[in-house]
Amino acid sequence: TMLRRMTRLLSGARQLDPGRFLHRGSPAPQSLDAHLDDQRPRAVSCTSEDDPVKTFNEACLMVRKPALELLHYLKNTNFAHPAVRYVLYGEKGTGKTLSLCHVVHFCAKQDWLILHIPDAHLWVKNCRGLLQSSYNKQRFDQPVEASIWLKNFKTANERFLSQIKVQEKYVWNKRESTEKGSPLGAVVEQGLTRVRNATDAVGIVLKELKNQSCLGAFHLLVAVDGVNALWGRTSLKREDKSLIAPEELALVCSLRKMVRNDWHGGAIVLTLSQTGSLFKPRKAYLPQELLGKEGFDALDPFIPILVSNYNPKEFESCIQYYLENKWLQHEKAHTEEGKKELLFLSDANPGQLERLCAYL
Amino acid sequence: MAAPCVSCYAALSCRLFLGGRVSLSQKQGVWKAAAAELQTGTGSQILRLRHTTGVSTKKNVAALRRETYTVDFIKKQIEEFNIGKRHLANMMGEDPETFTQEDIDKAIAYLFPSGLFEKQARPIMKHPEQIFPKQRAIQWGEDGRPFHFLFYTGKQAYYSLMHEAYGKLLEVEKRQNQLQAKGLFSEKTKTKDLIDSRWLIKEELEEMLVEKLSDQDGRIAVRRVTCLVSRSSYYAQFIRLLERLLTLHCGSEEEFVQRFRRSVTIQSKKQLIEPVQYDEQGMAFSTSEGKRKSAKAEAIVYGHGSGRIKVNGIDYLLYFPVTQDREQLMFPFHFLDRLGKHDTTCTVSGGGRSSQAGAIRLAVARALCSFVTEEEVEWMRQAGLLTADPRVKERKKPGQEGARRKFTWKKR
């Protein structure tokens, strides 16, 4: 749910004009901490739902060092070189996903085309409808996930959909086809209306974007959360109860091609996540452990960025934010001892702190 | 030593009683028989007791009177006890003159080791005063006239005590009024140390007076008033009177009041305080161990640090994902207000998640003792941080499904 909320947040984000930060009541994202440099109006709300953005009437991100580092690299990317891969890794709950979102938001402001997959783990587990692909007989389609993603993609990159033109002709079935030169929006529409072909639509979109970003009309940012899902194991089974390898899923294949750095004109930012990963021990957080040999080789070379727990200063600012928005109601939360207790119990881990403060 | 040992043993065995108080609901006749046989001193009394019980239960069921010990009988018992004490001292090689009750207890525990859990079921050898219940002598003379002037109140000892206490109270008040009139009354409050003593409890008072103090019924006292007077027991009234006496700062009456106070058992303040050790860089640290259920933990607490804890080489946030376990770890530091000041490294093995947390908590608390003042050690002990939790998994009994759970009861 956390990541589903994230997609909706980001799609909401792109609707605003770039250059202004979010401070509208955007639907349902997770708790984000505020600490931006410039002033923003903050509305304090009295409701206490488990939806902090509705509670705080705003969505704020904490600017932290890993994110800043990434943004620095992104600003200095040379678009002639092949796309550089950045991998955010770290312990559970340290803020990798949020750093990713920060980067995505930044790029949205900079008017890049965002290809954001909120959680690749959703594609390899708990899928209901698996169809045999029409395009390639050996692969499997996932209409549900594909259509969800197409919807988000549409809301996120509305402007680009009309600008980009398809360079080939695609035949869907006997009656429908997309001509060469028609806008990408048509492909997306096709995928949304005809759910059976949604996966293929996704594949087409990705291929087109990859080819066209080299032309330089736009910058492409590929942001994948939980990229270790692409090379791990799936929990999906065929009708005869035999396991499916990730290679046999069409979505996974197209995504893998995307993540290979044989194109230029953009950047790839990836996050490893143990939370949704299947069959991996809880304490594994290094890229090598989570990606496995295959994934590591595929992603090599990449730039690793470690996301760690809060600094004392960051922790302070987080608590201050909660206090200002009157989220912490306990009397002791204001005192020094209370802060020390929270620090000890959460060990400066953002995820733990959030869970602790949830019922304070 | 062998031959004298045997005879001493025989003599001793007469003195030994199984059980604290000999207050069995026996018939008087049985006891007389037992007493007679005791005086002959043949064989063990315990066996005889069982023997005679079996014989005479059927008779004398109606006549259930409390057993009475004659004064001579008690005297005889005391003599035998003293002789037995001397024999015991000889046996143990100690000096018979300076053989205290503690030494007797130790000797008996050594000679008759018992694996029974109930402490009162083990063999004891104590002075007859403590074993036989106190009994009142006949309280009226040959002409039938009672000795004590308050005999007809029913509780002569209690009322005479109240009378005495109230008399002292009046006396003290009179004295204080005199002093105040003269102007020599000094306001010095001689507050005695009331902390380490407590009032007698009702059972102890009953024992002292050899009288039963039941609840006083207000209805009987005031017949004219129809409503119930608030029930206040005899015991409560007595304590109230004594407290009133205390508040008047009586210097002379203190011993009188002290008779009715028992000292609160001073907790054993013997905590092994581990000395602070110093390692190569000059950093102060201290080590200690802790246990809980079947988990053993060893903790090394460093004097200066930033509050990081490593368990078996893993950060405590990852080792204990549950907040409850981390709260257990936090407890010693939080109690002493030293949350971010010590670094800790621990190794733990065995048990489950919760017992490992408890074991580490105990180890950390003991290690912190060496960095902390004595008073704070006492506080920690009272908070229960330094006590090892004795609870273990209870044994499963046969005929039951678990330790306590019985099998499902089926009516047919």
Side-chain angles (χ1 to χ4, degrees):
Chain A
T1 46
M2 190 163 100
L3 298 156
R4 239 178 279 140
R5 287 192 232 153
M6 269 327 298
T7 22
R8 272 179 269 160
L9 156 71
L10 292 169
S11 47
R14 248 74 36 59
Q15 291 163 15
L16 298 171
D17 315 321
R20 216 202 279 168
F21 292 116
L22 303 165
H23 58 261
R24 260 189 354 187
S26 8
Q30 20 169 215
S31 79
L32 312 166
D33 311 304
H35 185 68
L36 294 176
D37 308 47
D38 34 21
Q39 297 297 317
R40 279 151 302 109
R42 289 200 216 165
V44 178
S45 124
C46 325
T47 56
S48 60
E49 310 169 24
D50 47 310
D51 205 4
V53 164
K54 280 210 195 106
T55 321
F56 298 153
N57 265 354
E58 59 181 359
C60 307
L61 276 179
M62 187 188 278
V63 175
R64 292 178 70 195
K65 227 157 125 195
L68 281 177
E69 217 181 298
L70 246 189
L71 294 180
H72 178 72
Y73 290 142
L74 282 177
K75 279 181 212 160
N76 301 345
T77 36
N78 187 342
F79 294 108
H81 290 312
V84 188
R85 285 189 282 236
Y86 306 96
V87 175
L88 288 163
Y89 72 102
E91 297 272 356
K92 190 168 126 173
T94 49
K96 303 179 282 285
T97 311
L98 283 195
S99 308
L100 189 74
C101 298
H102 187 43
V103 167
V104 165
H105 176 72
F106 174 78
C107 295
K109 259 182 23 205
Q110 303 275 319
D111 219 12
W112 290 31
L113 198 150
I114 310 285
L115 206 72
H116 177 66
I117 289 112
D119 194 2
H121 289 297
L122 294 175
W123 290 2
V124 300
K125 53 183 187 173
N126 302 340
C127 294
R128 301 242 87 207
L130 267 189
L131 305 169
Q132 211 180 23
S133 170
S134 47
Y135 181 67
N136 189 339
K137 284 289 177 259
Q138 278 161 355
R139 296 192 193 163
F140 288 93
D141 268 359
Q142 285 153 306
V144 183
E145 281 79 23
S147 51
I148 294 173
W149 187 82
L150 279 175
K151 224 170 16 181
N152 285 329
F153 181 71
K154 192 170 121 178
T155 43
N157 301 314
E158 298 237 27
R159 291 183 306 110
F160 292 103
L161 291 178
S162 39
Q163 282 175 13
I164 304 174
K165 305 288 177 213
V166 174
Q167 279 167 359
E168 274 180 31
K169 180 172 165 194
Y170 298 104
V171 178
W172 299 105
N173 47 31
K174 281 185 214 134
R175 275 174 245 158
E176 289 161 20
S177 65
T178 317
E179 297 302 321
K180 178 172 160 174
S182 58
L184 203 59
V187 176
V188 177
E189 287 301 328
Q190 180 70 33
L192 281 175
T193 40
R194 297 263 176 264
V195 181
R196 287 181 64 119
N197 304 342
T199 321
D200 296 326
V202 170
I204 291 167
V205 162
L206 292 182
K207 203 164 72 174
E208 287 297 318
L209 289 176
K210 199 158 101 165
N211 295 338
Q212 296 194 5
S213 75
C214 310
L215 304 174
F218 52 86
H219 305 298
L220 181 62
L221 175 75
V222 180
V224 187
D225 201 349
V227 77
N228 46 332
L230 299 180
W231 284 280
R233 289 152 63 181
T234 62
S235 70
L236 306 172
K237 294 196 182 129
R238 276 168 256 200
E239 285 87 21
D240 52 350
K241 305 269 171 69
S242 56
L243 275 179
I244 305 182
E247 289 83 28
E248 298 177 23
L249 291 170
L251 281 178
V252 173
C253 280
S254 31
L255 205 53
R256 279 195 199 177
K257 285 181 213 158
M258 207 61 212
V259 159
R260 264 201 342 236
N261 56 352
D262 47 0
W263 50 279
H264 57 263
I268 311 179
V269 184
L270 310 169
T271 319
L272 297 176
S273 163
Q274 197 279 330
T275 328
S277 74
L278 301 158
F279 312 108
K280 282 279 184 295
R282 203 172 56 77
K283 302 204 175 114
Y285 72 97
L286 298 169
Q288 206 159 3
E289 296 163 357
L290 280 176
L291 283 174
K293 192 163 179 313
E294 224 185 276
F296 199 78
D297 293 331
L299 283 186
D300 202 29
F302 60 87
I303 301 179
I305 303 176
L306 173 63
V307 184
S308 57
N309 287 330
Y310 278 156
N311 289 340
K313 261 196 341 199
E314 288 173 343
F315 182 79
E316 250 325 295
S317 66
C318 184
I319 300 267
Q320 284 300 322
Y321 176 69
Y322 284 139
L323 286 174
E324 277 169 17
N325 288 4
K326 300 190 188 160
W327 182 247
L328 300 174
Q329 287 297 326
H330 202 262
E331 331 56 69
K332 265 212 188 153
H334 300 272
T335 59
E336 267 307 309
E337 316 159 353
K339 283 184 201 153
K340 272 198 243 172
E341 272 187 54
L342 283 173
L343 180 64
F344 187 97
L345 276 180
S346 65
D347 199 22
N349 188 303
Q352 277 298 322
L353 185 63
E354 190 216 323
R355 253 171 260 161
L356 275 179
C357 300
Y359 48 79
L360 268 184
Chain B
M1 259 303 267
C5 249
V6 169
S7 55
C8 303
Y9 198 94
L12 254 182
S13 60
C14 309
R15 299 282 339 135
L16 281 178
F17 295 93
L18 264 179
R21 286 242 145 217
V22 187
S23 49
L24 315 155
S25 57
Q26 296 287 321
K27 287 33 97 182
Q28 195 179 8
V30 169
W31 264 109
K32 280 210 176 123
E37 279 165 348
L38 252 182
Q39 278 151 25
T40 51
T42 50
S44 145
Q45 192 209 346
I46 304 132
L47 295 171
R48 204 169 303 115
L49 211 56
R50 241 185 279 138
H51 196 64
T52 42
T53 332
V55 166
S56 59
T57 357
K58 288 176 198 152
K59 313 169 188 173
N60 301 348
V61 169
L64 269 176
R65 264 170 49 207
R66 218 174 11 161
E67 61 284 6
T68 44
Y69 308 108
T70 51
V71 178
D72 305 320
F73 171 73
I74 300 276
K75 274 202 206 135
K76 211 52 188 303
Q77 295 293 315
I78 295 177
E79 279 169 25
E80 287 190 1
F81 172 73
N82 288 326
I83 295 171
K85 199 165 90 164
R86 295 184 76 90
H87 280 309
L88 187 62
N90 272 330
M91 265 203 286
M92 301 301 290
E94 309 267 344
D95 181 17
E97 304 299 329
T98 56
F99 204 58
T100 58
Q101 183 61 44
E102 285 172 12
D103 298 327
I104 298 180
D105 292 333
K106 273 191 245 175
I108 297 293
Y110 171 71
L111 290 169
F112 301 97
S114 153
L116 298 173
F117 286 117
E118 179 65 46
K119 297 278 198 283
Q120 286 176 338
R122 297 183 183 175
I124 55 166
M125 179 166 160
K126 289 219 156 55
H127 192 86
E129 296 264 285
Q130 292 165 11
I131 297 184
F132 294 102
K134 277 200 246 182
Q135 288 184 331
R136 284 182 283 181
I138 307 282
Q139 282 151 358
W140 50 87
E142 282 172 357
D143 53 350
R145 192 163 173 273
F147 295 133
H148 202 276
F149 71 103
L150 287 174
F151 174 78
Y152 287 110
T153 56
K155 306 184 208 333
Q156 65 179 38
Y158 170 75
Y159 281 111
S160 73
L161 194 62
M162 291 286 279
H163 181 74
E164 204 187 327
Y166 195 63
K168 291 200 192 291
L169 188 75
L170 290 177
E171 217 178 297
V172 166
E173 280 183 355
K174 201 167 81 174
R175 242 185 292 139
Q176 281 190 351
N177 287 338
Q178 281 175 347
L179 285 178
Q180 259 181 339
K182 286 191 200 158
L184 295 172
F185 184 63
S186 48
E187 284 287 338
K188 53 179 162 98
T189 46
K190 281 182 287 177
T191 41
K192 273 187 303 144
D193 196 11
L194 293 173
I195 297 175
D196 58 351
S197 59
R198 56 165 179 87
W199 289 119
L200 285 182
I201 49 174
K202 193 166 135 195
E203 281 74 26
E204 286 175 345
L205 187 64
E206 275 184 12
E207 203 188 333
M208 206 163 152
L209 303 176
V210 201
E211 265 171 8
K212 275 254 169 263
L213 300 173
S214 58
D215 265 354
Q216 190 173 38
D217 208 346
R219 266 174 289 162
I220 303 173
V222 189
R223 255 177 268 118
R224 275 168 276 164
V225 186
T226 42
C227 63
L228 256 182
V229 178
S230 59
R231 296 171 140 243
S232 61
S233 63
Y234 292 114
Y235 170 71
Q237 284 192 334
F238 178 62
I239 297 293
R240 245 182 280 154
L241 189 62
L242 286 181
E243 278 175 1
R244 242 177 96 187
L245 200 54
L246 266 184
T247 52
L248 288 180
H249 316 301
C250 48
S252 42
E253 268 43 279
E254 282 207 17
E255 318 122 36
F256 175 72
V257 176
Q258 280 294 71
R259 263 204 289 160
F260 301 102
R261 285 195 79 95
R262 295 278 174 272
S263 67
V264 165
T265 48
I266 304 167
Q267 309 279 337
S268 59
K269 296 189 181 182
K270 290 155 203 161
Q271 262 318 307
L272 280 175
I273 299 184
E274 298 82 8
V276 179
Q277 305 170 41
Y278 292 88
D279 64 354
E280 302 89 41
Q281 281 102 21
M283 174 82 113
F285 73 95
S286 102
T287 322
S288 66
E289 293 165 351
K291 271 204 292 200
R292 168 89 215 270
K293 267 195 196 172
S294 63
K296 294 199 195 358
E298 201 204 309
I300 310 170
V301 175
Y302 293 95
H304 304 280
S306 63
R308 275 192 296 269
I309 304 189
K310 282 240 157 201
V311 183
N312 284 356
I314 303 176
D315 200 32
Y316 68 106
L317 184 65
L318 295 177
Y319 196 82
F320 293 121
V322 181
T323 311
Q324 175 197 341
D325 299 334
R326 270 173 285 139
E327 276 176 15
Q328 289 285 302
L329 288 193
M330 187 173 83
F331 186 23
F333 294 111
H334 187 244
F335 190 75
L336 299 170
D337 248 344
R338 288 165 179 243
L339 267 177
K341 296 188 193 152
H342 295 282
D343 263 345
T344 316
T345 315
C346 354
T347 45
V348 68
S349 62
R353 157 208 94 163
S354 178
S355 44
Q356 279 187 345
I360 298 182
R361 177 184 112 176
L362 182 62
V364 158
R366 283 196 187 146
L368 277 178
C369 282
S370 40
F371 288 105
V372 136
T373 59
E374 293 244 353
E375 209 182 71
E376 295 189 331
V377 171
E378 180 62 22
W379 289 345
M380 278 219 283
R381 192 188 56 80
Q382 286 183 358
L385 270 173
L386 301 173
T387 330
D389 204 332
R391 297 180 284 179
V392 278
K393 196 157 168 179
E394 205 175 305
R395 176 208 143 163
K396 174 195 174 317
K397 284 109 193 168
Q400 293 176 356
E401 208 172 281
R404 298 281 171 106
R405 159 126 175 97
K406 321 280 186 276
F407 287 119
T408 319
W409 181 72
K410 297 224 172 62
K411 201 160 182 181
R412 48 187 73 86

